[in-house]
Amino acid sequence: MPRLKAIFAAASAVVALPLISATPAAAVDYPATYGTYNIQNYHSEKCLFAPSAAAESPVVQADCAGYADQRWYLFPGPEPSPLSSDQCLGQRTGQEARLLPCNSHADTQWRFYTINEADPQWKLIQNRATGHCLVPQSTALNAPIMQGICDFSAHDQWWRFT
């Protein structure tokens, strides 16, 4: 299974999300290749940001600046690649997105759904455990990343890998 994982260096970070297979009713579309990406929200124009490498740390959004702590590593799983951190993007029912230990649990596994085949860069990011999609609480700097019922028409749930 593919994943996205946090890669943390001394003062910088890159985080990861695991990917999983789609349900039969919908197709999953992965970014073109495994590697590191910024994950940018369409509505806020901000990127996912992991301000701390500690487990259970919340994930927020920040201005996309290309810093290492905004980079997320997409990798195949189920076991994490040997990187400098074992933290992955995770989400539990009723909680905001946070860093969790990379493992084969569904709360750190994600599905990606293309919004529009005519412009395939934008995707919904759905957590396997909760069935909900990533959505910033607001467009503000450092707004927490929450979970909401997946809605292809909700621009605040659209994300791209850059």
Side-chain angles (χ1 to χ4, degrees), residues 57-117:
S57 295
V59 174
V60 299
Q61 67 179 2
D63 292 329
C64 299
Y67 297 127
D69 52 9
Q70 293 180 341
R71 302 292 291 174
W72 296 76
Y73 184 65
L74 177 65
F75 67 99
E79 297 304 320
S81 299
L83 301 172
S84 60
S85 171
D86 64 351
Q87 302 303 306
C88 282
L89 181 65
Q91 197 166 46
R92 296 183 180 132
T93 301
Q95 295 182 349
E96 71 275 0
R98 59 187 59 240
L99 295 182
L100 297 173
C102 294
N103 53 41
S104 58
H105 297 152
D107 59 358
T108 61
Q109 297 178 353
W110 301 87
R111 294 181 175 111
F112 299 89
Y113 297 96
T114 297
I115 304 296
N116 180 343
E117 292 300 327

